Amino acid sequence: MTTPMLETLAVSKSFALRGDGRHKGHSGFLKAVDQVSLTLGASETLGIAGESGCGKSTLAKLITGLLAPDSGGIMFQGAELTRLTPDMRRLFRRSVQMIFQDPFSSLNPRLRIGDAIAEPLLIHGLAPAADCRARAESLMQQVGLAAELYDRFPHEFSGGQRQRIGIARALAANPSVLVADEPVSSLDISIQAQIINLLLELKREQGLTMAVISHDLAVLRHISDHIAVMYLGAVVELAPTQALFERCRHPYTEALLAAIPRIHQAGQLPRIRLQHEPPARSNLPSGCRFHPRCPHAREICRQQAPGLSEQVPGHAAACHLSSELYSL
């Protein structure tokens, strides 16, 4: 059996909430990620979907080692991150690179973009200083930026161009894994397609493994091999992309799919009206965390939390009623 490139094993992460000013210390905890187990195979793309605030970005930071989990483990090529040797830890930091959501705030405004792209080459000792400019210019051309733009600053570029700079900077470390956190959410629709196509091209050419995080299932459909759907910090559905779109197995996923705009009305799924707003993650409901908004909720949903279980081979959902609602 092939060792996965990355794994999360029942990973959880909470953050202390600040008091309201009248009390010292914190006033509780916000559970951002709750018992998430995912596997990312070599050269695969895993899409991670869900509404804003569901824990996707926190999970991305856990995967890349920017945050440490409260419990559970992160595995890199079969080794737990906290047990990596110094050499393996350096390899992990180089091999797993992140593309951030905001392409402007993730770039140093005082650093020329060519120097920003060349910086990882120096940090990881991948090229002598004399060769860094040529290598950076090559990376710029690879992502569709002219080499003569090397000496310009981030504010001189559009959002799409800045995201290309961020991708080139990530590629400079010669990674095996790219974690892209909402890589196109701040871009115009036409530019989104260009960035998605660029990521697909890089995956094909370099055999990259990718985790792509987005609130937009339509984006993930074009780029992902598998999709994990998150709700309030937990994975509620996990399936191959085609299977998820052909027959989802969770009411929350069904609502997300129904919300995707379609050109032809005949292809539009009936819109599902979710009740209420999402509850605060500092005060999660009992039972299934989705039940206060679910149109199908029953007493068992209010009392017992469903586990993520396989409904059909390769397709898992955390729903008591999944087999009844989505039977063949």
Side-chain angles (χ1 to χ4, degrees):
M1 184 175 179
T2 305
T3 301
M5 184 67 71
L6 275 172
E7 280 185 284
T8 66
L9 305 176
V11 165
S12 295
K13 182 68 177 180
S14 296
F15 298 99
L17 296 174
R18 294 183 179 180
D20 58 8
R22 294 172 296 176
H23 303 92
K24 294 182 179 180
H26 61 78
S27 57
F29 289 90
L30 182 150
K31 185 166 283 189
V33 174
D34 188 14
Q35 297 285 309
V36 170
S37 296
L38 295 172
T39 300
L40 187 54
S43 300
E44 291 183 348
T45 298
L46 173 67
I48 303 173
E51 294 172 287
S52 297
C54 73
K56 306 186 302 296
S57 293
T58 300
L59 181 60
K61 292 174 183 177
L62 291 168
I63 291 172
T64 53
L66 295 176
L67 287 175
D70 298 331
S71 60
I74 310 289
M75 308 289 288
F76 173 63
Q77 296 182 350
E80 214 280 325
L81 288 193
T82 60
R83 300 179 181 177
L84 294 181
T85 64
D87 286 343
M88 279 295 291
R89 181 163 291 279
R90 282 191 291 271
L91 175 63
F92 169 78
R93 288 173 177 165
R94 180 181 65 77
S95 298
V96 181
Q97 292 290 311
M98 191 161 178
I99 301 168
F100 294 92
Q101 178 176 355
D102 186 345
F104 189 73
S105 64
S106 62
L107 295 170
N108 184 339
R110 298 180 180 179
L111 195 64
R112 299 178 191 276
I113 64 106
D115 294 335
I117 294 169
E119 194 173 38
L121 298 171
L122 294 170
I123 291 173
H124 297 288
L126 297 174
D131 297 339
C132 281
R133 181 170 183 125
R135 174 63 179 146
E137 289 176 347
S138 175
L139 287 164
M140 290 171 63
Q141 292 172 332
Q142 189 175 354
V143 300
L145 294 169
E148 54 264 27
L149 301 175
Y150 185 102
D151 291 313
R152 294 192 181 181
F153 292 91
H155 72 271
E156 300 180 72
F157 294 88
S158 67
Q161 288 175 316
R162 288 196 290 262
Q163 196 60 286
R164 290 175 186 271
I165 295 166
I167 293 171
R169 182 178 60 180
L171 291 176
N174 193 26
S176 53
V177 181
L178 283 181
V179 179
D181 183 11
E182 296 277 11
V184 298
S185 64
S186 61
L187 307 178
D188 293 338
I189 294 295
S190 60
I191 306 301
Q192 288 184 14
Q194 295 175 20
I195 297 300
I196 291 168
N197 289 334
L198 173 60
L199 291 173
L200 286 170
E201 183 180 348
L202 292 170
K203 178 188 175 182
R204 286 193 298 266
E205 290 179 350
Q206 302 186 24
L208 290 169
T209 301
M210 294 195 295
V212 180
I213 291 158
S214 178
H215 65 278
D216 190 340
L217 276 171
V219 168
L220 295 181
R221 183 176 193 172
H222 291 289
I223 201 168
S224 306
D225 299 304
H226 295 79
I227 293 177
V229 179
M230 292 185 69
Y231 183 74
L232 294 179
V235 174
V236 296
E237 187 160 5
L238 177 62
T241 301
Q242 184 174 350
L244 187 95
F245 276 83
E246 288 179 353
R247 187 180 293 275
C248 67
R249 301 278 169 172
H250 195 283
Y252 177 62
T253 308
E254 186 180 3
L256 293 180
L257 291 172
I260 298 174
R262 288 168 173 80
I263 296 175
H264 302 292
Q265 190 65 29
Q268 191 85 21
L269 295 174
R271 183 172 291 275
I272 298 170
R273 290 190 175 275
L274 297 181
Q275 304 173 29
H276 315 297
E277 293 295 320
R281 283 184 292 169
S282 58
N283 186 26
L284 294 176
S286 60
C288 173
R289 63 191 65 201
F290 184 60
H291 87 256
R293 305 179 71 196
C294 181
H296 309 291
R298 298 178 188 171
E299 191 59 30
I300 187 175
C301 306
R302 300 179 182 92
Q303 299 296 328
Q304 298 179 25
L308 188 67
S309 60
E310 197 170 58
Q311 304 298 318
V312 295
H315 194 147
C319 177
H320 293 300
L321 308 177
S322 183
S323 59
E324 176 184 337
L325 294 172
Y326 308 104
S327 58
L328 294 175

